[in-house]
Amino acid sequence: MAHLAQRYEVSQRRACEVTGAARSVVRYRHMRPEDTAIRQRLRELASERRRFGYRRLHQMLKREGTVMNLKKIRRLYSEERLQVRQRKGRKRATGTRAPMTIPQGPNQRWSLDFVSDVLAGSRRFRVLAVVDDYTAECLCLVADTSLSGLRVARELDTVIASRKSPAMIVSDNGTEFTSMAILLWSQERLVEWHYIAPGKPQQNAFIESFNGKLRDEFLNETVFSSLTEARLMLAAWKHDYNSNRPHSRLGWLTPSEFANRNVQDKQRLLGAASQGSAPIAVASTAQKGNHEAETLQITGS
């Protein structure tokens, strides 16, 4: 209708008559509510009851006083991607059911993955990489011939000891990350663990990008004679990556510079918020009190 009215300079009524369309259909505007509160409560219930489907969640909402059609609950349930994951094989960690949010600050989301390489003697070893998705900092690079889920949990505790605990950790569905050791660790530390969909590494793009840089700029350029040498050189490369390598996503700042600037900005905002009318009023009141004291002293004398 808009094309006909603009191209031939005719009214909407004339354009509808030519095409046989009803003006009520052309003028219809979507009036469906956003249902923000229902979506939020549905996500909360799905997070608390991991194995509940939309029918059982619908009954729980009805018990709370929310009256809504089952088909609408199913639509909201699907749009929020809360479908129950099918269990396969042994008991594993299932992670969160809510979609990931974009991190807005340091330690809100970390990413984990393994990178493999080979020593000069043809012995293979693996490297556990941990990255802060917001600041792009490399938090640790752990090299060993075997890295179990218990070892991963222990290395995460070491990183947390030197900085704040993350709100969420993202990883693939490897056996080390879905082990009972990781499940117990995430429950004890109150850290959400999100697993990407199988065969979808793009859902963990931050660590995949870091792995590409690590392999292209360091692993493919270096031959390690022993595991000890690999650990020392990985520690040196980690320091260089965080302190000297500019990052395009961070405005060509290094990850350390970006993290420090973020801390300074927060401190500046807190300082500006604390400097309100209260300090000025206290100072003026004190000056007034001193002036009155001096007046009384002169009068008394």
Side-chain angles (χ1 to χ4, degrees):
M1 297 301 103
H3 171 71
L4 292 177
Q6 181 179 3
R7 177 67 177 81
Y8 298 101
E9 298 181 356
V10 297
S11 64
Q12 188 183 77
R13 182 191 300 271
R14 178 60 177 167
C16 289
E17 290 178 355
V18 172
T19 58
R23 281 184 293 161
S24 60
V25 175
V26 176
R27 295 177 180 179
Y28 174 77
R29 293 296 179 267
H30 179 69
M31 301 295 292
R32 178 182 293 173
E34 294 295 335
D35 300 314
T36 305
I38 300 297
R39 291 174 182 269
Q40 177 64 24
R41 184 54 184 158
L42 194 61
R43 288 195 298 268
E44 292 175 357
L45 289 175
S47 178
E48 296 172 2
R49 311 282 184 171
R50 296 176 181 273
R51 306 304 300 176
F52 281 13
Y54 71 93
R55 291 185 179 88
R56 204 175 302 273
L57 293 177
H58 176 240
Q59 294 299 323
M60 296 189 67
L61 289 174
K62 286 177 62 177
R63 288 174 177 268
E64 296 178 356
T66 302
V67 180
M68 185 172 291
N69 189 282
L70 177 62
K71 290 186 289 185
K72 184 173 182 179
I73 289 292
R74 183 180 182 181
R75 176 175 59 82
L76 299 179
Y77 180 87
S78 300
E79 290 178 356
E80 295 296 326
R81 293 183 293 177
L82 300 176
Q83 289 83 354
V84 179
R85 296 182 179 180
Q86 297 295 326
R87 285 181 173 150
K88 297 180 180 179
R90 64 182 179 84
K91 185 176 180 181
R92 299 172 183 264
T94 56
T96 60
R97 288 174 61 187
M100 290 187 300
T101 57
I102 300 176
Q104 302 296 327
N107 299 315
Q108 290 189 5
R109 193 173 77 195
W110 293 359
S111 296
L112 281 71
D113 200 6
F114 287 108
V115 183
S116 61
D117 201 13
V118 62
L119 300 174
S122 301
R123 187 180 184 184
R124 301 196 66 83
F125 68 95
R126 308 177 74 191
V127 179
L128 171 65
V130 183
V131 174
D132 189 307
D133 291 351
Y134 181 75
T135 63
E137 292 177 282
C138 176
L139 305 182
C140 77
L141 289 175
V142 182
D144 210 331
T145 55
S146 177
L147 292 168
S148 62
L150 188 61
R151 175 70 180 280
V152 172
R154 190 164 63 247
E155 295 298 338
L156 289 175
D157 284 333
T158 303
V159 177
I160 292 175
S162 61
R163 58 190 294 139
K164 186 178 178 181
S165 177
M168 175 183 287
I169 293 179
V170 185
S171 72
D172 56 20
N173 295 268
T175 56
E176 298 85 1
F177 299 140
T178 58
S179 62
M180 290 298 297
I182 293 298
L183 176 61
L184 294 175
W185 182 90
S186 62
Q187 291 178 349
E188 293 174 356
R189 304 299 187 277
L190 301 179
V191 176
E192 294 185 13
W193 200 290
H194 184 92
Y195 295 100
I196 63 175
K200 299 288 185 180
Q202 62 271 20
Q203 294 181 4
N204 203 5
F206 291 100
I207 194 65
E208 293 294 337
S209 175
F210 174 81
N211 289 346
K213 298 180 180 68
L214 174 62
R215 185 170 298 280
D216 181 62
E217 299 177 9
F218 179 65
L219 296 180
N220 290 346
E221 301 291 327
T222 312
V223 177
F224 307 106
S225 60
S226 64
L227 192 59
T228 302
E229 181 184 11
R231 290 169 177 169
L232 293 175
M233 297 183 70
L234 280 169
W237 186 87
K238 170 179 167 289
H239 175 75
D240 181 73
Y241 176 88
N242 289 333
S243 304
N244 302 322
R245 187 186 186 281
H247 204 293
S248 60
R249 181 168 64 88
L250 307 179
W252 298 112
L253 296 175
T254 65
S256 297
E257 292 173 347
F258 183 79
N260 294 334
R261 176 173 295 186
N262 185 75
V263 172
Q264 294 173 0
D265 291 342
K266 287 186 176 180
Q267 293 176 350
R268 191 180 301 111
L269 290 175
L270 293 175
S274 63
Q275 294 177 357
S277 57
I280 299 177
V282 171
S284 60
T285 303
Q287 293 176 0
K288 182 178 179 181
N290 294 336
H291 179 70
E292 291 178 353
E294 292 176 358
T295 303
L296 291 175
Q297 186 178 2
I298 293 175
T299 304
S301 62

